[in-house]
Each structure stands twice: as structure tokens, then as C-alpha cells.
Amino acid sequence: MTEDRITQRTITAVMIVIAALAFVFSFGNVWSLALRLGVPGPIAPLIAPMVDLSVVGLLVALRYLSLRGLPAEQMTAATRLMHFSGLLTLALNVAEPIVAGHYGRAAVDAVAPLLLLGWGAVGPQLLRAFHTVARPAEAVPSPDEIESEPETASDTTLPAVPLTVPAPGTPHIAPAPATPAVKVPEQLLTEARSIATSHHTEHGEPITASQLKMRLGIGLPMASALHAAL
């Protein structure tokens, strides 16, 4: 039995014992109060069970729904009715001693109904919390738990065959495709020479292919071919 199951059953057992004690206490107190108020004898013993059984039934229903993880917002009506029944049990228990002036007895008789009220509010919340915590997560096997596959008979009887690895040869490198030569027009070459001469005169350094590209407004391959032909 897992720890969470033991905890849930312990909380349930405590709630049942508190409800049973409250029933025993209130049965005699309410019977005495009913007789004091002039209720007929056959009817007087029936008042307390109506209230106490309402509390017990609501506690059982709330326990069941809480263990199934139902949100508290969907059990508001049942919780309010249980609280009202608990307060009614408390009032019926302490009414007769208070009327008789026995305040100490009234305080003692109020213990069981107050505990019933408290457990009626806290018990379902605890059970819902245990249901959330104890929800089984997907088991992920650890590397240590993964067992290696056993060797088969065929693996043990077959002789080991050495693998022949061919010696690495010289890798075959495909030749790079030859770049086709760019044909330089004679007129463009003449213009490029004129630009190169004027650039050298102005700046005292030879012109570059990029500068030829910018001055002539041509592509870089043609500018490189012109620069090489200068």
C-alpha cells in the first residue's frame, strides 16, 4: 500500500469518526431539547438523525468527488449545505444546556459539531490536494534500468570474422570547372586604358579592377579582364 493511499484513508477515517461522535453527542442533546420544547415523545428522537445523516451523506459525497479531483467551484452548493447542516447541529446541541444555564456543558457539547464543521471544510480540500500530488507521472526509465539484450545462441556459436578495411587511397578530387575567358572588346579596352592613364596622372597609383568597374559601369568579370589586359 502506497504512502498516499494510507494518507487518504487516514483522513477519511478521521472524518468518519468525527461524524460518528457528533451523531452520538447530538442524538441525546437534541432529544432532550425536543422533549423540553414539548415535542411528542415518538417524534423527538427523529430530529437529530435528519440533520446528522444530512451531514454524513454530504461528507461522503464530497469525499468521493474530491478523490476524483473535481474542482471546489463545482461543489459549492454541496459545501454550503453541509456547512448549514453543521451549524444546525451545533445550534441544536448547545441550545438545551444554554436554556438550562449549563454553559460549561454547552461548551463541551459544542466540541464535536465544531470539529465536524472544520473537517467538513478542510477534509475535501486535503483530499483534492492529495489527488493532485499523487497523480502518477509518466515513468521514464533511467539508463541503469535499461537492461542489455541477452546474447543468443547464434551470436555465441558463429566465429568472429575479421573485417577487411581497404587501405585509404588518394582521394579523387574533381577538377574545378574552368572559368571561361572573358572576351574584351577593343573599344572598351581603349577606353579603359584612357581611364587608367588619367587615374594614374591624378592619383599617382594604378587603377584597380573595382575602380574600373565603377568608372565604366560594367560587371566585375569584365573589369577584371580589362585590368589584366592593361
Side-chain angles (χ1 to χ4, degrees), residues 7 20 66-67 94 105 138:
T7 305
S66 299
L67 287 176
V94 300
R105 181 186 165 191
E138 294 183 359

Side-chain angles (χ1 to χ4, degrees), residues 13-51:
V14 170
M15 294 172 63
I16 292 174
V17 170
I18 295 297
L21 291 177
F23 180 83
V24 172
F25 270 88
S26 65
F27 184 78
N29 295 333
V30 177
W31 195 350
S32 300
L33 176 63
L35 293 176
R36 189 183 186 93
L37 296 176
V39 178
I43 306 299
L46 304 179
I47 299 176
M50 289 190 298
V51 181

Side-chain angles (χ1 to χ4, degrees), residues 29 39 42 47-48 52 57 62 65 94 98 104-105 114-115 121 132 137 165 199 201 212 226:
N29 295 333
V39 178
I47 299 176
D52 295 333
L62 290 175
L65 296 176
V94 300
I98 291 177
R105 181 186 165 191
L114 287 176
L115 287 176
T132 304
V165 181
H199 179 83
T201 303
L212 272 177
L226 289 171

